[in-house]
């Protein structure tokens, strides 16, 4: 009931913004946008209306598609290698490792660099030390660092290869050299041993929602657009 140019103008009004204000005004005034039709586009019986109401009720009862119900997913096996390393270092160096997160990250990187195919992002560590005053006041103290490597599914190296590498005598000197190069601190690695294991983890699906992009809609702009729209629609 209106010209093609009229509808093209309406389309142009919502084509320049990610969240155009006019889009909401079109929805509110759609009856007039279509040209105030005097008859329905097709006949509708009472049976059709009843069926539509029933469909709407079922949709609301079923919930919203695509939203996780929070139930646990399928258990997934994850391969791990736990490497226990005993080092000798000074008490000052130990304090720096314990209190400096950067040094701890360097310990992870040094460990990963000592093993072919292992990345630092796979590695976590725990520093264990005898808390007695006698040992902490000594020239050197013995420190146990437990490294845990969590292997991703696409890892190019096997747990068996890593265990074999950490149990080799050469690994101790390699690790000490990497720590010296990375941190500037001298340690003596007295022992190292690795053990492979498998841990089962259960994942849950989480649906996240992002905020819509910032809209240019403001009260003043909406009011101005409303006046413009009404002027175009009303005779």
């Amino acid at each position: 009931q209106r010209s093609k140019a009229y509808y093209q103008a309406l389309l142009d009004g919502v084509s320049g913004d990610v969240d155009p204000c006019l889009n909401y005004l079109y929805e509110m005034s759609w009856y007039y946008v279509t040209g105030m039709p005097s008859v329905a586009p097709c006949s509708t019986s009472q049976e059709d209306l009843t069926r539509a109401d029933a469909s709407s009720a079922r949709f609301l009862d079923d919930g919203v598609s695509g939203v996780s119900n929070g139930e646990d997913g399928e258990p997934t096996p994850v391969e791990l290698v736990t490497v226990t390393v005993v080092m000798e270092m000074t008490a000052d160096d130990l304090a720096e490792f314990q209190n400096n997160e950067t040094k701890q990250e360097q310990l992870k990187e040094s460990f990963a660099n000592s093993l072919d195919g292992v990345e630092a992002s796979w590695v976590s560590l725990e520093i264990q030390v005898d808390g007695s005053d006698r040992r902490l006041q000594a020239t050197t103290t013995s420190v146990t660092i437990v490294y845990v490597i969590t292997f991703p599914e696409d890892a190019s190296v096997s747990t068996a290869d890593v265990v074999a590498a950490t149990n080799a005598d050469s690994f101790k000197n390699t690790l000490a050299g990497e720590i010296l190069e990375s941190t500037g601190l001298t340690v003596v690695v007295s022992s190292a041993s690795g053990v492979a294991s498998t841990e089962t983890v259960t994942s849950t699906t989480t649906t996240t929602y992002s905020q819509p992009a910032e809209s240019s809609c403001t009260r003043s702009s909406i009011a101005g657009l409303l006046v413009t729209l009404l002027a175009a629609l009303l005779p």
Side-chain angles (χ1 to χ4, degrees):
Q1 299 186 23
R2 297 185 186 272
S3 67
K4 179 181 178 181
Y6 170 81
Y7 291 109
Q8 185 62 53
L10 294 182
L11 180 61
D12 292 342
V14 294
S15 300
D17 194 350
V18 293
D19 186 20
C21 303
L22 275 176
N23 188 51
Y24 305 104
L25 300 178
Y26 288 172
E27 292 180 4
M28 291 184 288
S29 55
W30 193 246
Y31 177 81
Y32 300 98
V33 169
T34 57
M36 302 176 63
S38 57
V39 296
C42 58
S43 59
T44 304
S45 66
Q46 184 61 41
E47 181 181 355
D48 294 330
L49 296 176
T50 302
R51 187 181 301 112
D53 291 340
S55 299
S56 176
R58 285 197 302 271
F59 174 78
L60 295 175
D61 290 340
D62 291 340
V64 181
S65 175
V67 179
S68 170
N69 58 11
E71 294 180 358
D72 293 337
E74 291 295 327
T76 304
V78 176
E79 293 184 319
L80 309 173
V81 168
T82 302
V83 183
T84 303
V85 178
V86 179
M87 303 180 186
E88 300 292 333
M89 66 181 67
T90 67
D92 290 340
D93 289 349
L94 171 61
E96 189 165 0
F97 279 129
Q98 288 180 307
N99 301 321
N100 191 321
E101 292 185 1
T102 300
K103 292 296 183 183
Q104 293 182 19
E105 290 300 318
Q106 291 172 343
L107 278 178
K108 295 179 185 179
E109 294 174 0
S110 301
F111 178 78
N113 292 338
S114 303
L115 297 166
D116 292 336
V118 175
E119 299 182 12
S121 59
W122 306 354
V123 180
S124 62
L125 64 80
E126 179 184 356
I127 300 176
Q128 302 173 352
V129 62
D130 187 339
S132 66
D133 293 338
R134 179 184 64 81
R135 293 185 66 88
L136 292 177
Q137 292 172 359
T139 303
T140 61
T141 185
S142 180
V143 181
T144 299
I145 301 181
V146 179
Y147 293 93
V148 178
I149 310 171
T150 303
F151 287 72
E153 293 182 359
D154 59 350
S156 60
V157 62
S158 68
T159 58
D161 290 340
V162 171
V163 169
T166 57
N167 290 336
D169 289 338
S170 59
F171 175 74
K172 294 181 289 186
N173 292 332
T174 301
L175 178 58
E178 290 287 348
I179 292 175
L180 176 60
E181 181 178 350
S182 178
T183 68
L185 303 179
T186 300
V187 302
V188 176
V189 180
S190 55
S191 68
S193 61
V195 177
S197 62
T198 301
E199 180 179 294
T200 300
V201 298
T202 303
S203 61
T204 54
T205 302
T206 304
T207 302
T208 58
Y209 296 91
S210 58
Q211 293 291 336
E214 184 177 354
S215 172
S216 60
C217 294
T218 62
R219 289 185 178 181
S220 58
S221 64
I222 291 176
L225 290 170
L226 181 58
V227 171
T228 302
L229 181 63
L230 290 177
L233 294 178
L234 296 178

